[in-house]
Amino acid sequence: ITGAPTADAGANAAICTTAGSYTLGGSATNYASVLWTSSGTGTFTPNASTLTATYTPSASDNATGQVQLTLTATGNGTCGTASDMMVLTIWPGATANAGPDAAICEGDAFTLTAATASNYATITWSSSGTGTFDNANALNPVYTPSAADITAGTVDLTLTATGLGTCSTVTSTMTLTITGAPTADAGANAAICT
């Protein structure tokens, strides 16, 4: 009497597209061979016949955001097969771009119109100075430099995008140069004799 095969694909999991791949943790008993298959078009390395193969999602898998990975164990002797499936969720990596460095004149505020971000849960702006944002959680806020920022002449403005799912947080920084406003003093009124 030959023991029937068992297969366990492991628990559902999630990765970020920036991770690139996922190492499977499958297990099986009473088998002659095992084989991983995917509902997507990614690849298994070193091959699909290893319990702990590494799955690399394809561009199509990344776009779909999810694949089903099935482990099938072929039994010994007259025994049939056993299979189990797990779901691999693929989160898109966050991006952040604070925009190019810029300059303003003392007394002016600066609108961060060139900032971009994608695939984020939240975004937050921070400053190396002591100025204020009209909304630090908006993508394109207005930054008003403080007196200390103006004295320093420059301030770094950093955009932080918190990734979705298992994806990491990313940051981008731009430098805002604050040029002193010109001043003019013609001096006190005076009089001369012809």
Side-chain angles (χ1 to χ4, degrees), residues 53-94:
T54 296
Y55 184 75
T56 303
S58 65
S60 175
D61 292 350
N62 289 339
T64 302
Q66 193 176 79
V67 291
Q68 295 176 350
L69 304 176
T70 302
L71 175 63
T72 301
T74 301
N76 294 302
T78 59
C79 293
T81 61
S83 63
D84 186 45
M85 181 264 297
M86 59 89 67
V87 176
L88 181 64
T89 301
I90 308 161
W91 293 98

Side-chain angles (χ1 to χ4, degrees), residues 3-8 27-31 34 51 71-75 81-84:
T6 66
D8 183 356
S27 61
T29 61
N30 303 323
Y31 64 90
V34 294
L51 283 171
L71 175 63
T72 301
T74 301
T81 61
S83 63
D84 186 45

Side-chain angles (χ1 to χ4, degrees), residues 114-158:
T116 59
S118 64
N119 306 321
Y120 58 86
T122 61
I123 54 173
T124 306
W125 282 96
S126 59
S127 167
S128 63
T130 56
T132 58
F133 294 95
D134 67 339
N135 182 352
N137 300 115
L139 184 57
N140 304 114
V142 175
Y143 182 76
T144 303
S146 66
D149 293 350
I150 294 167
T151 300
T154 62
V155 63
D156 289 334
L157 305 179
T158 300

